[in-house]
Amino acid sequence: MKPLLLALPGNEAIGESLAGALAAEYAIPETRQFPDGETYLRLNADIKARDIILVCSLDRPDPKFLPLIFLAETAREMGARSVGLICPYLAYMRQDARFKPGEGITSAYFARALGQHFDWLATVDPHLHRYRSLSEIYAIPAAAVHAGPAIAAWVRDHVPAPLIIGPDSESAQWVAAVAREANAPYIVLEKHRHGDRKVEVSAPDMQPWRGRTPVLVDDIISTAHTLIAATRRLLSAGASGIIVIGIHGLFADRAYDELRAMGVSQIVSCNTVTHPSNAIDVTALLAKAVEKLTRA
Ligand code: R5P
């Protein structure tokens, strides 16, 4: 029997294309809020002895978490053979250490909580900084797909003579990979974050890169202050026509408008978090990883 892929609310577009790529049956579970804010859900589908795949991006994760695990448990009680999770954006990865006494290492707690309900997990470019791989905190099989090839293909198709730019040392890993595949040079700037919205980025020397289109690439755009600070530096260095690419466009509060107001020529994101800036499709990369995980 074909696997059954269920998209949680807000994940219908990527859910449907993943179902196509995985030759899975596609369905949307029934969910709604009771007047008191609790969640009602119903799986009106044939679940018994079936491989179930839930699709839920975990941006703004707290209200999504309970419906997600309730659905996983419902599927299990209805006799599912396995319950996996495709989570195009995986939350809580940035709190990967106790930076101040008393802080919770929420990346690890979240991993333990998700791991109790799913047999496997596939995601796109989780923020791996102090962790080298998901297996350091996830006990279930967990695949981290790189969006790099899809971003590089977009750059090749849309940007003549690109210069790939990473806003901070953490970005070096994906910036180097994108540049290699896009056959473009790259530079990496230095960032100092003093608070959620207080970010300083080093000034680049753009002299050697005259005639190239600056393409800033970051994994997450949250407040957008990292990319705003980098854009400001590039503009002061004489750059123009700046293109900004985020793998995961979270765009907190007015971040999208604030970044647009900087005068960048284009803001582009992958379809890991549903947003009008989505232009890079990661379906094929995710489907390949899921096929590998579920074959094992
Ligand atoms: C840093 O750790 C990440 O790679 C991103 O640079 C960061 O999350 C971006 O956040 P914001 O948009 O709030 O500056």
Side-chain angles (χ1 to χ4, degrees):
M1 205 177 203
K2 279 181 172 186
L4 174 65
L5 185 145
L6 299 159
L8 274 91
N11 297 272
E12 293 82 357
I14 193 163
E16 203 169 350
S17 67
L18 279 164
L22 290 164
E25 189 184 325
Y26 173 67
I28 298 176
E30 190 183 334
T31 59
R32 69 176 174 87
Q33 298 292 116
F34 285 115
D36 59 6
E38 293 181 6
T39 296
Y40 169 89
L41 57 87
R42 180 170 179 234
L43 281 183
N44 189 13
D46 194 3
I47 304 287
K48 202 160 176 52
R50 228 161 161 195
D51 293 314
I52 305 299
I53 303 172
L54 300 189
V55 178
C56 185
S57 200
L58 285 169
D59 56 301
R60 292 145 185 105
D62 297 10
K64 294 181 179 170
F65 184 71
L66 278 181
L68 179 63
I69 63 168
F70 288 164
L71 270 173
E73 289 311 301
T74 308
R76 234 178 253 290
E77 282 191 354
M78 289 173 74
R81 187 167 71 164
S82 68
V83 185
L85 172 63
I86 302 180
C87 174
Y89 173 71
L90 182 58
Y92 282 110
M93 288 300 292
R94 282 171 293 176
Q95 190 74 30
D96 56 2
R98 185 168 286 119
F99 302 100
K100 290 186 193 149
E103 285 180 353
I105 305 177
T106 48
S107 51
Y109 313 152
F110 194 64
R112 286 207 287 272
L114 265 188
Q116 282 174 26
H117 301 279
F118 291 97
D119 297 310
W120 55 263
L121 162 85
T123 189
V124 178
D125 284 304
H127 188 79
L128 292 172
H129 182 204
R130 272 159 279 262
Y131 301 126
R132 272 162 308 150
S133 87
L134 285 175
S135 62
E136 287 184 41
I137 46 173
Y138 279 84
I140 54 174
V145 171
H146 295 299
I151 296 174
W154 187 91
V155 170
R156 281 197 308 269
D157 290 347
H158 295 86
V159 190
L163 168 68
I164 313 295
I165 305 172
D168 54 26
S169 59
E170 290 161 42
S171 65
Q173 41 180 323
W174 51 86
V175 161
V178 168
R180 198 169 44 245
E181 292 205 37
N183 205 13
Y186 75 93
I187 57 172
V188 173
L189 310 180
E190 254 179 64
K191 173 170 88 177
H192 295 283
R193 188 181 278 279
H194 305 289
D196 287 346
R197 290 180 163 76
K198 270 195 171 168
V199 179
E200 270 180 72
V201 171
S202 62
D205 175 9
M206 293 303 285
Q207 197 60 31
W209 309 113
R210 277 169 174 269
R212 291 221 164 237
T213 306
V215 183
L216 271 165
V217 184
D218 205 356
D219 61 341
I220 299 169
I221 309 179
S222 175
T223 66
H225 277 254
T226 298
L227 291 173
I228 288 171
T231 300
R232 193 171 286 128
R233 286 298 198 187
L234 287 170
L235 292 172
S236 314
S240 60
I242 300 165
I243 294 172
V244 168
I245 301 180
I247 299 174
H248 308 293
L250 303 182
F251 296 111
D253 307 322
R254 291 184 30 78
Y256 186 58
D257 293 336
E258 288 172 20
L259 185 54
R260 277 213 311 197
M262 292 301 295
V264 296
S265 76
Q266 220 176 332
I267 304 173
V268 169
S269 64
C270 298
N271 59 343
T272 57
V273 177
T274 305
H275 188 266
S277 61
N278 289 169
I280 302 174
D281 187 7
V282 294
T283 302
L285 296 169
L286 263 172
K288 210 165 138 197
V290 171
E291 270 161 8
K292 213 164 145 196
L293 267 174
T294 52
R295 251 202 324 264

